[in-house]
Amino acid sequence: MNYLEKINNIGRRRVVQDIIECIAIAVCLLPYALSVNQLLVPHNIVGGGLTGVSEIVYFATDRVVPIWMTNLIVNAILLAIAVALIGWQFCVRTIWGVLFLTLWLKVIPIADEPILHDPFMSCVVAGLFCGAALGLVYLNNGSSGGTDIIAMIVNKYRRVSIGRSLFVCDLVIISSAWFLPNIHSIEPIFMGLCFTFMCMIAVDSVMNNARQSVQFMIFSLHNSEEIADAINTQAHRGVTMLYGMGWYMKKPIKVVTVLARKHESRQIFNIIKAIDPNAFVSQTNAQGVFGKGFDTVLNKQEQERARQIELEYDEQEERMKEKK
C-alpha cells in the first residue's frame, strides 16, 4: 500500500467515525431536553448551565421568551467569542450540539402537569438523565455549549480548571433563581443544587464505566499459545506472552497477558474456558490504559500529527526496502 492510499484510508475511517459520533451527539441530547422541559420547568426548578439561564429568562418574562430561543441566542454569542479566542476545532462539534439541543428544546413541549409530582424526585431523575446524556456526548467528543464554552475560555487565560469553572458558573446561575418573583424561596435553590450534584455523579459514572479497563494474566500449562491466538482473533485484543517459571514445579511457563475493556471480560473468559477449563486466571481493574484501542493522551491535533509521522516513517521504510 503506497503513501497516498494510506492517507485516503485514514481519511475515510475518520469520516465514518465523525458521522457516527455526530449522530450519537444528536440522539443523546434528546433525554437532556426532555428532562428540562418535562421535569425541571414544571416544578420551577432552575438547573445549572445555559439551560438554567434560559429557564431564568423564561420565568422572569412570565413564560414569554421560550427556553430554546435564549439557549440559541446566548450560545451564538459565546460561540462567536470562542471562535475568535480558541479556534474552530473546539467549536465545530459544539455548534452541532447546540443546534440539536435547541431543536429538542423547541420540539419537546413544556409539560403543564409534571411527569413526577414530587419535586425532589423530579430533580434527582432529571439530574441522572441529564448527566448520563452529557456523559455520552462527552465520550463522543461533543459538547452542549453554554458554560462549557465559558470554562474553556477561562481555562485558556487563567490557571483555573474546567471543572471548577463549571461549578462556579452553575452555583451563580442556580443562586440567581432567588430573585425570581414566582420562586423567591430557598427550596428551589437547593433542588437546583441537588440536580447539579446528581448530574455530576451521572456524568462521572458514564464516562468512567465506558473507559474502565481490565488486565488478565492467564496461566495455562499446555494451551497458552492456543488461548493467545483465540483472544487475538476472536476478541480482537492484543496479547503479550510473558515467560516465567512455576516455582513449585520448577518448570518454565508461558503467561498470557491481555488488556481489554471491562465489557469484553465475559467473552475472554468464555474463550479461556473453552480451551483450558483448568487455566489459572487473574483479573484486575486497570486504572488507566492509553494507546491504540483504548484512551488517548493526545488531543486531535496531536493525533493527526502522530498519524502523519507514522505514515512518513512507513514511507521511509518502503524506500529503504526498494533501495536494498
Side-chain angles (χ1 to χ4, degrees):
M1 183 179 294
N2 60 34
Y3 180 70
L4 291 177
E5 287 177 345
K6 289 181 180 179
I7 292 178
N8 291 334
N9 286 339
I10 290 176
R12 282 193 291 269
R13 287 196 298 269
R14 186 62 197 171
V15 168
V16 173
Q17 183 180 350
D18 286 342
I19 292 173
I20 294 173
E21 288 179 350
C22 287
I23 293 173
I25 292 169
V27 173
C28 291
L29 286 172
L30 177 59
Y32 184 94
L34 184 67
S35 299
V36 172
N37 284 354
Q38 298 286 319
L39 292 172
L40 295 182
V41 177
H43 285 293
N44 294 336
I45 298 173
V46 175
L50 186 54
T51 52
V53 175
S54 302
E55 287 182 77
I56 290 174
V57 175
Y58 179 70
F59 293 134
T61 58
D62 198 20
R63 303 176 183 261
V64 174
V65 179
I67 294 174
W68 66 267
M69 183 178 294
T70 306
N71 182 76
L72 181 62
I73 293 172
V74 178
N75 264 311
I77 296 170
L78 291 175
L79 283 168
I81 298 172
V83 168
L85 299 179
I86 301 176
W88 277 103
Q89 187 175 4
F90 167 76
C91 296
V92 171
R93 294 289 183 92
T94 306
I95 292 171
W96 178 263
V98 167
L99 289 176
F100 269 92
L101 178 58
T102 304
L103 175 65
W104 299 139
L105 288 171
K106 179 176 173 58
V107 170
I108 298 172
I110 295 174
D112 295 327
E113 290 292 330
I115 299 175
L116 299 176
H117 294 285
D118 184 359
F120 179 74
M121 185 59 65
S122 293
C123 77
V124 170
V125 173
L128 293 175
F129 270 87
C130 290
L134 288 176
L136 293 171
V137 169
Y138 295 152
L139 286 174
N140 286 281
N141 300 313
S143 171
S144 60
T147 51
D148 291 352
I149 303 173
I150 298 174
M152 289 290 291
I153 295 173
V154 172
N155 180 255
K156 182 176 180 179
Y157 294 98
R158 292 286 184 272
R159 300 186 65 177
V160 180
S161 67
I162 294 176
R164 182 177 297 180
S165 299
L166 290 173
F167 176 76
V168 172
C169 288
D170 289 343
L171 187 62
V172 171
I173 292 167
I174 294 170
S175 301
S176 300
W178 169 265
F179 300 101
L180 293 174
N182 56 338
I183 293 180
H184 201 65
S185 171
I186 197 66
E187 288 185 6
I189 307 298
F190 281 112
M191 293 290 183
L193 293 174
C194 178
F195 162 80
T196 302
F197 180 71
M198 296 305 299
C199 188
M200 290 171 58
I201 291 176
V203 169
D204 290 341
S205 178
V206 168
M207 297 189 71
N208 290 336
N209 287 334
R211 291 175 173 172
Q212 192 169 4
S213 302
V214 292
Q215 179 180 9
F216 288 92
M217 297 191 74
I218 306 161
F219 303 81
S220 178
L221 290 175
H222 308 291
N223 305 99
S224 296
E225 293 183 1
E226 190 178 352
I227 291 173
D229 289 336
I231 292 174
N232 198 233
T233 56
Q234 296 178 32
H236 303 290
R237 276 300 175 191
V239 177
T240 300
M241 192 73 73
L242 304 179
Y243 295 88
M245 177 177 287
W247 200 245
Y248 180 77
M249 300 293 294
K250 301 298 190 295
K251 291 184 178 180
I253 187 171
K254 297 176 181 177
V255 183
V256 181
T257 306
V258 183
L259 286 166
R261 294 293 190 187
K262 190 173 183 179
H263 64 83
E264 298 170 326
S265 299
R266 178 171 293 183
Q267 183 184 9
I268 293 174
F269 272 116
N270 290 338
I271 291 171
I272 298 167
K273 184 178 179 181
I275 297 173
D276 184 3
N278 297 318
F280 184 81
V281 183
S282 170
Q283 177 187 344
T284 57
N285 290 329
Q287 184 66 29
V289 180
F290 302 94
K292 188 175 182 180
F294 293 92
D295 298 332
T296 177
V297 294
L298 305 177
N299 59 36
K300 289 187 176 181
Q301 288 181 340
E302 291 169 334
Q303 289 179 44
E304 293 298 330
R305 179 57 183 160
R307 292 192 191 101
Q308 188 70 22
I309 292 172
E310 185 179 355
L311 289 172
E312 290 174 358
Y313 179 77
D314 291 343
E315 186 183 27
Q316 289 177 1
E317 280 193 336
E318 290 179 2
R319 288 176 180 174
M320 292 294 292
K321 289 178 181 179
E322 290 175 359
K323 288 181 180 180
K324 291 180 178 179

